[in-house]
Amino acid sequence: MAAASATTFSVGSATSFGSTKSQSKAFVAKYNTRNYLRNFSGLKAEAFVRCESESSFLGRESAAALRQSIPPKAQIEKQRCFNHVQPQASYKVAILGAAGGIGQSLALLIKMSPLVSSLHLYDIANVKGVAADLRHCNTPAQVFDFTGASELANCLKGVDVVVIPAGVPRKPGMTRDDLFNINANIVKGLVEAVADNCPDAFIHVISNPVNSTVPIAAEILKQKGVYDPKKLFGVTTLDVVRANTFIAQKKNLRLIDVDVPVVGGHAGITILPLLSKTKPSTTFTDEEVQELTVRIQNARTEVVEAKAGAGSATLSMAYAAARFVESSLRAIHGDADVYECTYVESNLTELPFFASRVKLGRNGVEALISFDLKGLTEYEQKALEALKPELKASIEKGIAYAKKETVTA
């Protein structure tokens, strides 16, 4: 059995109001990363927390409620007082495209993680203001900003996880080819820099179309001689987050209990939620399966229409990406039970890339979980076969682009 891993940090502060000075005691929380995370902004957060003294950050009522939820043994341990923040687990995360709609929200969520000691923010412009804003948040991670191609290498030095939300969303009047050409070029340049400066890092690709940009990234890494299929991920967590949310609402389930594997790809019909594999076990009518599947596949449109063309799903995407970053860091830190759905090089089907549940470990993907694809319903089996031609075409388009660009260069 693997040894337990933990992260400890403390926060203490002093505030003055007129002539009265209030000195808060330190709040010390210990996180056992062997368990699923439960308190990190609704992401998977640590299950074991030790509150050693009252914190002004939490407030009296919140601190009292937290203390009551902890086993008595943890409450009677000797109190400690620290006036600094000192995480035991120190990991560096870089966000490439940090000044964008997804990047800013994602940076805030990652700044809140106790597993992160250093957050590197990169963009071609406007990133200094984002970094200055985040530095005012009293959480452990230090924030550094990097602007433009000349600073990209320094941003990536020694980084453990690289997240790539850089790119543009599809706008009215923009064809799929327009979107592809713009974002493919952006991803290509950024992945080349990753290959040169932190080839051992986990790479999380968010830039759309993910079905094509991940194969592009794989080809670039191969050309650089540093490709490790276990460490390249297309972030499809938003599809899982949406499936869990919609199904919990539809069936009146506790959201924290719901888990739905989503396989295939990350666009339209290539997104296939396996409702028959929902946990807890749930029964759906044929009409509910059709309704929920279509809603999950087209959920982005709900947001685009609600924003009246002024944006797309930036907040929910940032939330989902932060969850995947947290899971990756937990795996790197030694948590033995980390599972997420993600788009990776795969042999579960005849397609070279496929989204499925995987087991994450210190070196990336430890196992592809084939169980979810067994015993599918007739509806799911037909949907799986239907998505393959479209996903195959997207994969081939990405590979062809990367090879063409190499020849041109």
Side-chain angles (χ1 to χ4, degrees):
M1 183 176 294
S5 56
T7 301
T8 303
F9 71 92
S10 59
V11 178
S13 61
T15 25
S16 298
F17 300 94
S19 59
T20 304
K21 185 175 182 181
S22 170
Q23 176 70 46
S24 72
K25 294 182 179 179
F27 169 71
V28 179
K30 184 173 182 181
Y31 297 91
N32 185 339
T33 56
R34 287 184 60 191
N35 299 314
Y36 282 110
L37 298 164
R38 290 180 186 168
N39 73 339
F40 172 48
S41 304
L43 311 183
K44 290 183 176 178
E46 309 292 357
F48 179 82
V49 181
R50 184 178 74 234
C51 180
E52 298 192 80
S53 62
E54 186 175 301
S55 166
S56 60
F57 177 78
L58 288 176
R60 292 178 181 275
E61 292 183 1
S62 297
L66 178 59
R67 190 177 294 110
Q68 290 173 5
S69 70
I70 298 168
K73 181 179 179 181
Q75 297 181 29
I76 62 176
E77 293 195 21
K78 184 179 180 180
Q79 291 188 353
R80 306 175 190 173
C81 289
F82 296 104
N83 292 319
H84 62 284
V85 176
Q86 186 176 0
Q88 289 181 346
S90 300
Y91 298 106
K92 294 181 179 180
V93 176
I95 301 176
L96 309 185
I102 295 171
Q104 291 193 41
S105 301
L106 176 59
L108 174 60
L109 290 170
I110 293 177
K111 176 89 165 68
M112 296 169 65
S113 172
L115 293 172
V116 178
S117 63
S118 183
L119 179 58
H120 293 194
L121 307 182
Y122 170 83
D123 217 314
I124 57 174
N126 304 322
V127 74
K128 289 188 180 298
V130 176
D133 202 357
L134 282 177
R135 289 189 190 106
H136 293 185
C137 301
N138 62 326
T139 61
Q142 297 183 63
V143 179
F144 302 91
D145 60 271
F146 304 85
T147 303
S150 63
E151 297 185 6
L152 180 54
N154 286 335
C155 170
L156 294 170
K157 297 293 185 185
V159 165
D160 299 291
V161 175
V162 179
V163 191
I164 307 179
V168 298
R170 189 177 177 188
K171 300 174 183 177
M174 181 183 289
T175 67
R176 290 184 181 274
D177 282 340
D178 291 336
L179 176 68
F180 174 84
N181 289 328
I182 294 171
N183 287 353
N185 188 57
I186 291 172
V187 169
K188 174 182 176 291
L190 294 176
V191 172
E192 286 174 341
V194 172
D196 291 338
N197 295 282
C198 55
D200 293 327
F202 282 26
I203 305 172
H204 295 184
V205 179
I206 297 173
S207 307
N208 278 317
V210 166
N211 291 353
S212 297
T213 53
V214 171
I216 289 172
E219 287 302 310
I220 298 302
L221 293 168
K222 287 176 185 177
Q223 292 163 17
K224 291 280 189 176
V226 295
Y227 179 50
D228 184 348
K230 295 179 180 180
K231 294 185 177 181
L232 176 63
F233 308 90
V235 181
T236 61
T237 319
L238 180 54
D239 300 325
V240 176
V241 166
R242 285 168 167 163
N244 290 351
T245 301
F246 299 163
I247 288 170
Q249 292 170 345
K250 184 74 174 179
K251 308 301 285 188
N252 295 315
L253 301 171
R254 283 204 325 157
L255 185 56
I256 196 171
D257 295 332
V258 180
D259 183 33
V260 185
V262 181
V263 302
H266 187 54
I269 67 165
T270 69
I271 300 169
L272 178 57
L274 301 179
L275 304 191
S276 67
K277 307 295 183 178
T278 298
K279 295 189 185 316
S281 182
T282 307
T283 301
F284 300 92
T285 66
D286 291 344
E287 291 74 18
E288 286 176 330
V289 169
Q290 173 71 18
E291 174 195 345
L292 286 166
T293 299
V294 171
R295 187 184 179 195
I296 293 162
Q297 291 174 339
N298 299 319
R300 174 185 175 277
T301 303
E302 286 187 25
V303 180
V304 171
E305 291 178 351
K307 291 186 176 181
S312 58
T314 55
L315 299 175
S316 54
M317 183 66 248
Y319 169 89
R323 164 175 155 170
F324 193 70
V325 169
E326 188 79 0
S327 292
S328 294
L329 293 177
R330 288 170 47 226
I332 293 171
H333 195 53
D335 191 324
D337 297 299
V338 183
Y339 297 84
E340 288 284 1
C341 288
T342 179
Y343 182 64
V344 295
E345 182 175 303
S346 173
N347 61 7
L348 294 184
T349 69
E350 64 271 26
L351 299 172
F353 292 89
F354 192 79
S356 69
R357 197 192 307 267
V358 306
K359 185 178 190 297
L360 295 173
R362 292 184 187 274
N363 297 311
V365 176
E366 286 192 348
L368 302 171
I369 308 304
S370 61
F371 173 78
D372 292 331
L373 294 178
K374 297 178 180 178
L376 299 181
T377 65
E378 181 180 357
Y379 178 92
E380 291 166 345
Q381 190 62 51
K382 286 182 178 179
L384 176 60
E385 294 307 314
L387 71 81
K388 288 180 180 179
E390 183 168 327
L391 184 53
K392 181 175 184 288
S394 296
I395 294 169
E396 291 176 347
K397 185 175 183 177
I399 294 173
Y401 174 87
K403 289 182 176 180
K404 178 183 176 182
E405 289 298 305
T406 302
V407 171
T408 301

